[in-house]
Amino acid sequence: MWKWIILAAAAYLLYRMFSNDIKRKLAKRDDPAEQERKVAAGEMVKDPECGAYISADSAITVRDGETVHRFCSYDCRDSFLKRLEQSGRTLPPRQKPDEDS
């Protein structure tokens, strides 16, 4: 008898734990109005390759003169660079910081 009560309690606790986790994940998703607000405020930018909106402080970037392109993944970045090379355009090489400074 006690086994069934403990098993039922454990099953209920697992159910509550996973259902709360799913609810939190669904609540984190931005609705379209919130996403538009973030884009307008400059908090999110559009990936030039796939069109996904990502955080403006994304770590995957390519600098083209004064323009900084931000990407959602390394695959998108590599695809973007490959497309530039196929069009005959190359980006200037990265400048290394002076070691004397």
XYZ file of all heavy atoms in Angstrom:
814
model
N 0.824 -1.198 0.000
C 0.000 0.000 0.000
C 0.864 1.257 0.000
O 0.594 2.182 -0.747
C -0.933 -0.072 1.224
C -1.750 1.157 1.435
S -3.070 1.207 0.241
C -3.934 2.595 0.780
N 1.884 1.308 0.869
C 2.746 2.479 0.944
C 3.517 2.683 -0.345
O 3.802 3.819 -0.730
C 3.714 2.361 2.128
C 3.028 2.604 3.433
C 2.675 1.678 4.359
C 2.592 3.856 3.924
N 2.037 2.264 5.407
C 1.975 3.636 5.162
C 2.631 5.154 3.453
C 1.424 4.639 5.933
C 2.093 6.154 4.234
C 1.498 5.906 5.443
N 3.865 1.593 -1.009
C 4.590 1.707 -2.283
C 3.766 2.505 -3.289
O 4.297 3.354 -3.999
C 4.861 0.317 -2.875
C 6.133 -0.313 -2.413
C 6.488 -1.411 -3.381
C 6.512 -2.736 -2.695
N 6.885 -3.817 -3.588
N 2.484 2.213 -3.366
C 1.618 2.882 -4.337
C 1.442 4.364 -4.001
O 1.396 5.206 -4.896
C 0.259 2.189 -4.416
C 0.387 0.832 -5.032
C 0.275 -0.369 -4.404
C 0.694 0.548 -6.385
N 0.487 -1.391 -5.271
C 0.746 -0.848 -6.522
C 0.924 1.313 -7.516
C 1.018 -1.479 -7.717
C 1.195 0.686 -8.717
C 1.245 -0.697 -8.809
N 1.363 4.678 -2.742
C 1.219 6.070 -2.330
C 2.489 6.850 -2.667
O 2.434 7.962 -3.208
C 0.884 6.168 -0.818
C -0.505 5.582 -0.564
C 0.976 7.610 -0.341
C -0.866 5.481 0.907
N 3.655 6.266 -2.379
C 4.923 6.920 -2.685
C 5.107 7.053 -4.200
O 5.531 8.095 -4.695
C 6.093 6.148 -2.041
C 6.009 6.274 -0.523
C 7.433 6.656 -2.554
C 6.981 5.405 0.235
N 4.752 6.002 -4.923
C 4.855 6.048 -6.387
C 3.930 7.115 -6.975
O 4.320 7.872 -7.869
C 4.527 4.678 -6.984
C 4.675 4.540 -8.485
C 6.129 4.772 -8.904
C 4.218 3.178 -8.941
N 2.718 7.211 -6.470
C 1.771 8.219 -6.948
C 2.274 9.630 -6.621
O 2.179 10.543 -7.454
C 0.393 7.978 -6.341
N 2.826 9.811 -5.431
C 3.354 11.126 -5.045
C 4.545 11.508 -5.930
O 4.660 12.655 -6.372
C 3.753 11.126 -3.575
N 5.424 10.549 -6.200
C 6.581 10.820 -7.057
C 6.124 11.160 -8.477
O 6.658 12.085 -9.108
C 7.530 9.626 -7.068
N 5.150 10.436 -8.989
C 4.638 10.716 -10.333
C 4.014 12.104 -10.388
O 4.210 12.848 -11.355
C 3.613 9.656 -10.727
N 3.259 12.473 -9.346
C 2.639 13.795 -9.300
C 3.703 14.888 -9.255
O 3.591 15.907 -9.957
C 1.708 13.902 -8.090
C 1.102 15.269 -7.940
C 0.097 15.697 -8.800
C 1.537 16.145 -6.946
C -0.452 16.956 -8.683
C 0.995 17.400 -6.817
C -0.003 17.808 -7.687
O -0.540 19.058 -7.561
N 4.749 14.710 -8.458
C 5.821 15.708 -8.373
C 6.541 15.853 -9.713
O 6.859 16.972 -10.130
C 6.807 15.339 -7.268
C 6.283 15.491 -5.840
C 7.301 14.955 -4.845
C 5.961 16.945 -5.545
N 6.817 14.753 -10.386
C 7.450 14.823 -11.710
C 6.554 15.544 -12.708
O 7.021 16.362 -13.499
C 7.792 13.425 -12.216
C 9.000 12.768 -11.567
C 9.120 11.320 -12.019
C 10.260 13.531 -11.930
N 5.257 15.238 -12.664
C 4.311 15.904 -13.552
C 4.317 17.410 -13.319
O 4.394 18.199 -14.264
C 2.904 15.335 -13.341
C 1.819 16.194 -13.940
C 1.608 16.196 -15.316
C 1.032 17.015 -13.140
C 0.626 17.001 -15.874
C 0.049 17.810 -13.685
C -0.148 17.807 -15.046
O -1.110 18.600 -15.596
N 4.268 17.831 -12.058
C 4.260 19.265 -11.732
C 5.560 19.941 -12.162
O 5.552 21.056 -12.680
C 4.048 19.468 -10.226
C 2.680 19.071 -9.717
C 1.654 20.024 -10.144
N 1.982 21.317 -9.550
C 1.223 22.373 -9.604
N 0.083 22.308 -10.200
N 1.606 23.501 -9.072
N 6.678 19.247 -11.975
C 7.966 19.815 -12.323
C 8.057 20.060 -13.836
O 8.448 21.130 -14.282
C 9.098 18.877 -11.878
C 10.481 19.432 -12.122
S 11.786 18.404 -11.429
C 11.607 16.918 -12.386
N 7.664 19.069 -14.629
C 7.747 19.224 -16.076
C 6.685 20.168 -16.624
O 6.939 20.906 -17.569
C 7.673 17.869 -16.776
C 8.926 17.072 -16.627
C 8.928 15.881 -15.937
C 10.122 17.524 -17.161
C 10.092 15.151 -15.791
C 11.287 16.804 -17.027
C 11.275 15.602 -16.335
N 5.500 20.179 -16.057
C 4.468 21.096 -16.559
C 4.838 22.545 -16.264
O 4.602 23.428 -17.084
C 3.104 20.746 -15.969
O 3.067 20.996 -14.589
N 5.448 22.806 -15.111
C 5.892 24.169 -14.808
C 7.024 24.596 -15.727
O 7.096 25.752 -16.128
C 6.330 24.284 -13.346
C 5.154 24.313 -12.398
O 4.042 24.642 -12.790
N 5.389 23.950 -11.155
N 7.913 23.674 -16.054
C 9.011 23.981 -16.961
C 8.479 24.345 -18.350
O 8.930 25.313 -18.966
C 9.960 22.786 -17.054
C 11.219 23.111 -17.818
O 11.777 24.207 -17.584
O 11.651 22.280 -18.644
N 7.509 23.618 -18.825
C 6.916 23.899 -20.139
C 6.197 25.251 -20.113
O 6.313 26.041 -21.051
C 5.951 22.764 -20.547
C 6.765 21.486 -20.850
C 5.116 23.168 -21.753
C 5.914 20.264 -21.054
N 5.490 25.542 -19.031
C 4.796 26.825 -18.918
C 5.774 27.990 -18.941
O 5.536 29.007 -19.573
C 3.969 26.879 -17.632
C 2.721 26.042 -17.675
C 1.981 26.114 -16.358
C 0.817 25.170 -16.332
N 0.143 25.155 -15.023
N 6.924 27.833 -18.248
C 7.937 28.891 -18.234
C 8.519 29.106 -19.624
O 8.747 30.236 -20.038
C 9.062 28.546 -17.251
C 8.913 29.270 -15.957
C 10.121 29.080 -15.068
N 9.737 28.111 -14.046
C 10.345 26.964 -13.802
N 11.418 26.637 -14.451
N 9.903 26.156 -12.881
N 8.774 28.030 -20.339
C 9.334 28.165 -21.682
C 8.344 28.859 -22.611
O 8.736 29.678 -23.438
C 9.716 26.802 -22.240
C 10.981 26.247 -21.638
C 11.346 24.920 -22.240
C 12.599 24.377 -21.584
N 12.943 23.045 -22.084
N 7.082 28.520 -22.501
C 6.074 29.172 -23.336
C 5.919 30.641 -22.965
O 5.692 31.477 -23.832
C 4.730 28.447 -23.214
C 4.667 27.062 -23.845
C 3.317 26.422 -23.546
C 4.920 27.114 -25.333
N 6.052 30.973 -21.710
C 5.924 32.365 -21.282
C 7.110 33.196 -21.747
O 6.979 34.403 -21.951
C 5.792 32.434 -19.767
N 8.279 32.582 -21.936
C 9.466 33.308 -22.366
C 9.395 33.740 -23.824
O 10.048 34.675 -24.225
C 10.719 32.446 -22.183
C 11.326 32.533 -20.833
C 12.647 31.817 -20.833
C 13.392 32.070 -19.562
N 14.670 31.370 -19.547
N 8.622 33.027 -24.619
C 8.526 33.380 -26.031
C 7.954 34.780 -26.169
O 6.982 35.147 -25.508
C 7.624 32.400 -26.778
C 8.238 31.054 -26.953
C 7.372 30.224 -27.841
N 7.920 28.889 -27.975
C 7.286 27.885 -28.507
N 6.052 28.051 -28.959
N 7.853 26.707 -28.604
N 8.569 35.548 -27.069
C 8.089 36.909 -27.283
C 6.915 36.896 -28.252
O 6.945 36.205 -29.271
C 9.196 37.782 -27.866
C 10.300 38.035 -26.865
O 10.019 37.965 -25.661
O 11.427 38.312 -27.302
N 5.906 37.669 -27.929
C 4.823 37.819 -28.879
C 5.296 38.768 -29.990
O 6.283 39.481 -29.831
C 3.554 38.319 -28.186
C 3.730 39.662 -27.518
O 4.867 40.126 -27.400
O 2.707 40.245 -27.119
N 4.640 38.785 -31.136
C 5.104 39.616 -32.255
C 5.224 41.095 -31.905
O 6.144 41.765 -32.362
C 4.031 39.392 -33.324
C 3.440 38.062 -33.001
C 3.514 37.944 -31.512
N 4.342 41.619 -31.088
C 4.409 43.038 -30.723
C 5.672 43.325 -29.906
O 6.337 44.340 -30.108
C 3.162 43.442 -29.943
N 6.010 42.413 -28.994
C 7.215 42.588 -28.188
C 8.461 42.490 -29.061
O 9.419 43.237 -28.872
C 7.258 41.528 -27.076
C 8.469 41.596 -26.187
C 8.525 42.855 -25.333
O 7.529 43.566 -25.228
O 9.609 43.122 -24.780
N 8.441 41.578 -30.023
C 9.579 41.439 -30.937
C 9.747 42.704 -31.778
O 10.869 43.185 -31.956
C 9.395 40.233 -31.840
C 10.603 39.963 -32.704
C 10.468 38.698 -33.517
O 9.447 38.024 -33.473
N 11.485 38.375 -34.261
N 8.673 43.274 -32.265
C 8.744 44.518 -33.037
C 9.289 45.660 -32.186
O 10.068 46.482 -32.665
C 7.369 44.880 -33.589
C 6.939 44.017 -34.746
C 5.597 44.434 -35.294
O 5.277 45.648 -35.241
O 4.869 43.555 -35.777
N 8.902 45.709 -30.918
C 9.413 46.736 -30.025
C 10.921 46.598 -29.846
O 11.664 47.574 -29.886
C 8.734 46.657 -28.660
C 9.158 47.788 -27.722
C 8.879 47.479 -26.268
N 9.620 46.357 -25.740
C 10.919 46.390 -25.376
N 11.625 47.486 -25.521
N 11.501 45.318 -24.882
N 11.396 45.361 -29.684
C 12.825 45.132 -29.515
C 13.608 45.479 -30.775
O 14.706 46.022 -30.694
C 13.097 43.682 -29.118
C 12.720 43.376 -27.688
C 13.058 41.957 -27.332
C 12.741 41.682 -25.879
N 13.110 40.288 -25.521
N 13.038 45.181 -31.946
C 13.695 45.530 -33.207
C 13.777 47.041 -33.339
O 14.817 47.599 -33.693
C 12.946 44.903 -34.408
C 13.465 45.457 -35.713
C 13.092 43.389 -34.380
N 12.679 47.728 -33.024
C 12.655 49.190 -33.127
C 13.617 49.833 -32.140
O 14.223 50.866 -32.439
C 11.237 49.702 -32.897
N 13.782 49.226 -30.989
C 14.675 49.781 -29.968
C 16.137 49.426 -30.226
O 17.017 49.922 -29.542
C 14.259 49.280 -28.595
N 16.380 48.570 -31.202
C 17.751 48.187 -31.507
C 18.269 47.050 -30.649
O 19.453 46.755 -30.664
N 17.390 46.394 -29.889
C 17.801 45.273 -29.061
C 17.938 43.990 -29.876
O 18.625 43.067 -29.456
C 16.800 45.046 -27.930
C 16.712 46.200 -26.956
C 15.612 46.000 -25.947
O 15.211 44.848 -25.702
O 15.142 47.004 -25.397
N 17.255 43.931 -31.016
C 17.318 42.756 -31.882
C 17.625 43.209 -33.301
O 17.207 44.287 -33.723
C 15.997 41.985 -31.858
C 15.675 41.385 -30.519
S 14.162 40.417 -30.562
C 14.732 38.940 -31.366
N 18.372 42.370 -34.024
C 18.702 42.656 -35.418
C 18.377 41.431 -36.261
O 18.262 40.323 -35.746
C 20.191 43.033 -35.581
C 20.502 44.341 -34.893
C 21.088 41.937 -35.061
N 18.263 41.653 -37.559
C 17.907 40.575 -38.475
C 19.172 39.957 -39.056
O 20.052 40.660 -39.542
C 17.026 41.130 -39.595
C 16.391 40.086 -40.455
C 15.408 40.730 -41.406
C 14.650 39.688 -42.179
N 13.654 40.306 -43.048
N 19.262 38.645 -38.995
C 20.365 37.905 -39.604
C 20.264 38.106 -41.117
O 19.229 37.827 -41.708
C 20.239 36.424 -39.246
C 21.373 35.568 -39.759
O 21.831 35.801 -40.892
O 21.786 34.654 -39.040
N 21.334 38.599 -41.787
C 21.236 38.877 -43.215
C 21.130 37.621 -44.072
O 20.723 37.699 -45.228
C 22.529 39.638 -43.531
C 23.468 39.252 -42.461
C 22.634 38.969 -41.252
N 21.442 36.481 -43.527
C 21.419 35.247 -44.315
C 20.079 34.530 -44.231
O 19.468 34.239 -45.234
C 22.554 34.321 -43.859
C 22.806 33.177 -44.784
C 23.205 33.598 -46.182
O 23.816 34.666 -46.362
O 22.890 32.850 -47.121
N 19.608 34.244 -43.021
C 18.377 33.459 -42.883
C 17.168 34.303 -42.482
O 16.042 33.834 -42.558
C 18.571 32.328 -41.878
S 18.757 32.881 -40.171
N 17.393 35.535 -42.036
C 16.285 36.413 -41.686
C 15.785 36.263 -40.264
O 14.811 36.902 -39.890
N 16.442 35.442 -39.451
C 16.028 35.276 -38.061
C 16.403 36.522 -37.265
O 17.408 37.170 -37.552
C 16.709 34.052 -37.456
N 15.593 36.860 -36.281
C 15.904 37.986 -35.408
C 16.700 37.480 -34.214
O 16.327 36.503 -33.582
C 14.629 38.693 -34.944
C 14.046 39.552 -36.025
C 13.058 39.080 -36.869
C 14.523 40.840 -36.221
C 12.550 39.865 -37.875
C 14.014 41.637 -37.227
C 13.031 41.140 -38.054
O 12.535 41.925 -39.049
N 17.811 38.146 -33.942
C 18.704 37.738 -32.870
C 19.063 38.943 -32.013
O 18.821 40.079 -32.404
C 19.991 37.086 -33.428
C 20.661 38.027 -34.430
C 19.697 35.759 -34.051
C 21.999 37.567 -34.904
N 19.656 38.668 -30.879
C 20.070 39.732 -29.970
C 21.117 40.612 -30.645
O 21.983 40.131 -31.368
C 20.651 39.122 -28.700
O 21.180 40.110 -27.876
N 21.045 41.898 -30.402
C 21.979 42.841 -31.024
C 23.396 42.667 -30.510
O 24.342 43.124 -31.149
C 21.511 44.272 -30.785
N 23.574 42.003 -29.389
C 24.919 41.772 -28.885
C 25.405 40.353 -29.178
O 26.184 39.787 -28.432
C 25.005 42.090 -27.394
C 24.026 41.287 -26.568
O 23.213 40.559 -27.141
O 24.086 41.383 -25.326
N 24.950 39.802 -30.288
C 25.361 38.462 -30.714
C 26.873 38.395 -30.883
O 27.511 39.330 -31.352
C 24.675 38.112 -32.037
O 25.189 36.912 -32.553
N 27.446 37.268 -30.518
C 28.898 37.110 -30.577
C 29.392 36.729 -31.971
O 30.573 36.850 -32.256
C 29.342 36.052 -29.574
N 28.520 36.292 -32.843
C 28.923 35.866 -34.173
C 28.743 37.050 -35.116
O 27.637 37.379 -35.527
C 28.096 34.658 -34.647
C 28.161 33.538 -33.618
C 28.582 34.182 -35.999
C 27.224 32.396 -33.892
N 29.849 37.704 -35.455
C 29.780 38.916 -36.266
C 30.807 38.886 -37.376
O 31.799 38.165 -37.317
C 30.043 40.170 -35.413
O 31.350 40.068 -34.852
C 29.024 40.336 -34.315
N 30.554 39.696 -38.394
C 31.504 39.956 -39.476
C 31.502 41.463 -39.687
O 30.446 42.065 -39.873
C 31.095 39.231 -40.780
C 31.950 39.674 -41.938
C 31.175 37.729 -40.604
N 32.671 42.066 -39.659
C 32.789 43.505 -39.836
C 33.118 43.789 -41.297
O 34.049 43.241 -41.857
C 33.863 44.079 -38.928
C 33.958 45.598 -38.998
C 34.925 46.140 -37.982
N 34.508 45.882 -36.616
C 33.648 46.629 -35.933
N 33.113 47.685 -36.499
N 33.323 46.340 -34.697
N 32.336 44.679 -41.902
C 32.528 45.104 -43.283
C 32.684 46.625 -43.259
O 31.712 47.354 -43.392
C 31.324 44.679 -44.125
C 31.482 45.043 -45.592
O 32.591 45.447 -45.989
O 30.491 44.923 -46.336
N 33.912 47.077 -43.064
C 34.146 48.509 -42.924
C 33.506 49.000 -41.644
O 33.858 48.574 -40.556
N 32.538 49.891 -41.781
C 31.828 50.407 -40.612
C 30.613 49.556 -40.251
O 30.047 49.713 -39.174
C 31.376 51.854 -40.874
C 32.527 52.829 -41.028
C 33.336 52.950 -39.749
O 32.741 53.021 -38.653
O 34.577 52.962 -39.851
N 30.203 48.671 -41.143
C 29.017 47.852 -40.925
C 29.391 46.563 -40.206
O 30.365 45.913 -40.560
C 28.352 47.489 -42.268
O 28.104 48.686 -42.995
C 27.061 46.740 -42.051
N 28.601 46.197 -39.215
C 28.789 44.933 -38.511
C 27.571 44.062 -38.785
O 26.446 44.447 -38.477
C 28.948 45.153 -36.990
C 29.069 43.818 -36.277
C 30.148 46.023 -36.701
N 27.804 42.908 -39.412
C 26.732 41.948 -39.679
C 26.718 40.950 -38.531
O 27.758 40.440 -38.135
C 26.971 41.217 -41.001
C 27.054 42.129 -42.181
N 25.943 42.679 -42.760
C 28.120 42.593 -42.877
C 26.318 43.436 -43.776
N 27.641 43.402 -43.856
N 25.531 40.659 -38.002
C 25.390 39.723 -36.885
C 24.613 38.499 -37.367
O 23.678 38.626 -38.149
C 24.681 40.387 -35.720
C 25.438 41.601 -35.238
C 24.832 42.213 -34.010
N 25.484 43.463 -33.659
C 26.652 43.564 -33.065
N 27.317 42.485 -32.763
N 27.172 44.737 -32.778
N 25.016 37.317 -36.855
C 24.452 36.065 -37.339
C 23.949 35.204 -36.191
O 24.482 35.261 -35.080
C 25.504 35.289 -38.141
C 26.006 36.049 -39.323
C 27.131 36.836 -39.224
C 25.334 36.013 -40.521
C 27.600 37.566 -40.307
C 25.788 36.740 -41.608
C 26.915 37.513 -41.501
N 22.955 34.370 -36.497
C 22.388 33.482 -35.483
C 23.238 32.240 -35.292
O 23.176 31.610 -34.242
C 20.957 33.089 -35.859
S 20.845 32.103 -37.364
N 24.035 31.853 -36.300
C 24.860 30.653 -36.190
C 26.089 30.797 -37.077
O 26.154 31.655 -37.957
C 24.064 29.417 -36.616
O 23.798 29.476 -38.004
N 27.049 29.917 -36.836
C 28.257 29.926 -37.662
C 27.939 29.472 -39.082
O 28.588 29.897 -40.030
C 29.337 29.041 -37.039
C 29.914 29.643 -35.786
C 29.594 29.128 -34.538
C 30.760 30.740 -35.848
C 30.105 29.688 -33.387
C 31.272 31.311 -34.695
C 30.945 30.780 -33.472
O 31.449 31.348 -32.333
N 26.925 28.612 -39.246
C 26.525 28.180 -40.584
C 26.042 29.371 -41.411
O 26.388 29.505 -42.583
C 25.425 27.124 -40.506
C 25.927 25.810 -39.937
O 27.140 25.534 -40.065
O 25.115 25.064 -39.379
N 25.230 30.240 -40.803
C 24.739 31.423 -41.516
C 25.904 32.354 -41.857
O 25.958 32.897 -42.953
C 23.705 32.165 -40.680
S 22.080 31.401 -40.715
N 26.832 32.524 -40.926
C 27.989 33.373 -41.191
C 28.814 32.824 -42.353
O 29.174 33.553 -43.270
C 28.867 33.487 -39.953
C 30.080 34.388 -40.189
C 31.183 34.145 -39.245
N 31.664 32.774 -39.391
C 32.580 32.242 -38.610
N 33.073 32.929 -37.616
N 32.977 31.011 -38.794
N 29.089 31.515 -42.340
C 29.890 30.910 -43.397
C 29.177 30.984 -44.741
O 29.790 31.245 -45.775
C 30.214 29.458 -43.052
C 31.116 29.343 -41.833
O 31.758 30.359 -41.468
O 31.175 28.251 -41.248
N 27.869 30.796 -44.735
C 27.083 30.902 -45.961
C 27.127 32.327 -46.510
O 27.248 32.545 -47.723
C 25.647 30.479 -45.686
O 24.851 30.617 -46.814
N 27.045 33.313 -45.627
C 27.117 34.721 -46.019
C 28.477 35.033 -46.649
O 28.562 35.670 -47.701
C 26.880 35.605 -44.795
C 26.974 37.078 -45.051
C 25.936 37.767 -45.653
C 28.106 37.782 -44.678
C 26.015 39.130 -45.882
C 28.198 39.140 -44.900
C 27.155 39.824 -45.505
N 29.551 34.575 -46.012
C 30.892 34.818 -46.541
C 31.101 34.118 -47.881
O 31.711 34.675 -48.798
C 31.948 34.364 -45.531
C 32.017 35.187 -44.250
C 32.976 34.556 -43.259
C 32.395 36.624 -44.540
N 30.565 32.906 -48.008
C 30.682 32.171 -49.268
C 29.932 32.904 -50.378
O 30.403 33.013 -51.506
C 30.136 30.758 -49.115
C 30.364 29.886 -50.335
C 29.764 28.517 -50.163
C 30.592 27.744 -49.155
N 30.115 26.352 -49.017
N 28.754 33.432 -50.049
C 27.967 34.175 -51.039
C 28.709 35.438 -51.481
O 28.701 35.808 -52.647
C 26.598 34.527 -50.455
C 25.616 35.055 -51.467
C 24.199 35.084 -50.928
N 24.057 35.552 -49.568
C 23.763 36.808 -49.229
N 23.573 37.712 -50.157
N 23.637 37.144 -47.976
N 29.386 36.109 -50.540
C 30.184 37.288 -50.893
C 31.333 36.920 -51.827
O 31.607 37.624 -52.800
C 30.749 37.958 -49.637
C 29.802 38.819 -48.827
C 30.528 39.383 -47.618
C 29.232 39.938 -49.660
N 32.009 35.809 -51.534
C 33.119 35.374 -52.375
C 32.648 35.015 -53.781
O 33.318 35.323 -54.763
C 33.823 34.176 -51.744
C 34.634 34.533 -50.524
C 35.227 33.311 -49.850
O 35.096 32.196 -50.393
O 35.821 33.482 -48.777
N 31.495 34.376 -53.890
C 30.960 33.998 -55.196
C 30.576 35.218 -56.019
O 30.633 35.187 -57.244
C 29.749 33.075 -55.031
C 30.120 31.690 -54.564
C 28.898 30.838 -54.281
O 27.763 31.326 -54.252
N 29.133 29.554 -54.069
N 30.197 36.287 -55.357
C 29.840 37.501 -56.086
C 31.076 38.321 -56.448
O 30.966 39.375 -57.060
C 28.860 38.347 -55.271
O 29.512 38.887 -54.140
N 32.261 37.836 -56.034
C 33.498 38.521 -56.384
C 33.911 39.577 -55.383
O 34.848 40.331 -55.607
N 33.236 39.661 -54.277
C 33.538 40.667 -53.259
C 34.235 40.004 -52.086
O 33.866 38.911 -51.676
C 32.239 41.300 -52.783
C 32.461 42.409 -51.817
C 31.213 43.260 -51.697
N 31.466 44.234 -50.671
C 30.814 44.280 -49.519
N 29.855 43.438 -49.274
N 31.112 45.188 -48.631
N 35.243 40.648 -51.562
C 35.916 40.125 -50.379
C 35.930 41.196 -49.296
O 35.922 42.394 -49.587
C 37.370 39.709 -50.677
O 38.072 40.849 -51.185
C 37.410 38.593 -51.705
N 35.956 40.745 -48.089
C 36.031 41.667 -46.958
C 37.485 41.978 -46.670
O 38.360 41.139 -46.882
C 35.378 41.049 -45.728
C 33.880 40.794 -45.846
C 33.381 40.103 -44.602
C 33.122 42.077 -46.068
N 37.770 43.176 -46.190
C 39.156 43.498 -45.847
C 39.627 42.584 -44.720
O 38.832 42.180 -43.867
C 39.101 44.958 -45.399
C 37.675 45.222 -45.113
C 36.860 44.268 -45.912
N 40.911 42.229 -44.705
C 41.400 41.356 -43.638
C 41.299 42.043 -42.284
O 41.370 43.263 -42.192
C 42.842 41.081 -44.022
C 43.207 42.184 -44.950
C 41.955 42.637 -45.629
N 41.155 41.221 -41.260
C 41.066 41.776 -39.899
C 42.419 42.362 -39.512
O 43.445 41.793 -39.786
C 40.691 40.679 -38.919
C 39.302 40.172 -39.130
C 38.964 39.113 -38.141
N 38.968 39.684 -36.810
C 38.789 38.983 -35.702
N 38.604 37.701 -35.760
N 38.793 39.567 -34.531
N 42.352 43.495 -38.878
C 43.578 44.128 -38.424
C 43.892 43.631 -37.020
O 43.031 43.601 -36.154
C 43.420 45.647 -38.400
C 43.227 46.227 -39.771
C 43.014 47.730 -39.690
O 42.905 48.295 -38.622
N 42.971 48.373 -40.839
N 45.135 43.225 -36.826
C 45.545 42.756 -35.513
C 45.961 43.956 -34.684
O 46.562 44.901 -35.195
C 46.717 41.789 -35.653
C 46.327 40.521 -36.367
C 47.480 39.575 -36.433
C 47.057 38.316 -37.190
N 48.162 37.398 -37.354
N 45.640 43.927 -33.402
C 46.050 45.060 -32.553
C 47.570 45.134 -32.456
O 48.250 44.130 -32.498
C 45.411 44.749 -31.201
C 44.999 43.333 -31.256
C 44.907 42.915 -32.681
N 48.069 46.343 -32.338
C 49.507 46.530 -32.211
C 49.999 45.912 -30.915
O 49.393 46.090 -29.860
C 49.872 48.024 -32.236
C 49.562 48.657 -33.580
O 49.552 47.914 -34.577
O 49.333 49.882 -33.613
N 51.111 45.203 -31.010
C 51.670 44.579 -29.821
C 52.467 45.577 -29.004
O 52.761 45.337 -27.836
C 52.538 43.382 -30.214
C 51.723 42.267 -30.842
C 52.593 41.093 -31.275
O 53.804 41.121 -31.027
O 52.038 40.167 -31.839
N 52.869 46.700 -29.611
C 53.661 47.691 -28.910
C 52.826 48.514 -27.933
O 53.327 49.068 -26.985
C 54.317 48.649 -29.893
C 55.286 47.910 -30.816
O 55.808 46.872 -30.361
O 55.502 48.387 -31.938
N 51.528 48.625 -28.192
C 50.656 49.472 -27.374
C 50.422 48.897 -26.010
O 50.316 47.797 -25.757
C 49.310 49.681 -28.050
O 49.509 50.298 -29.290
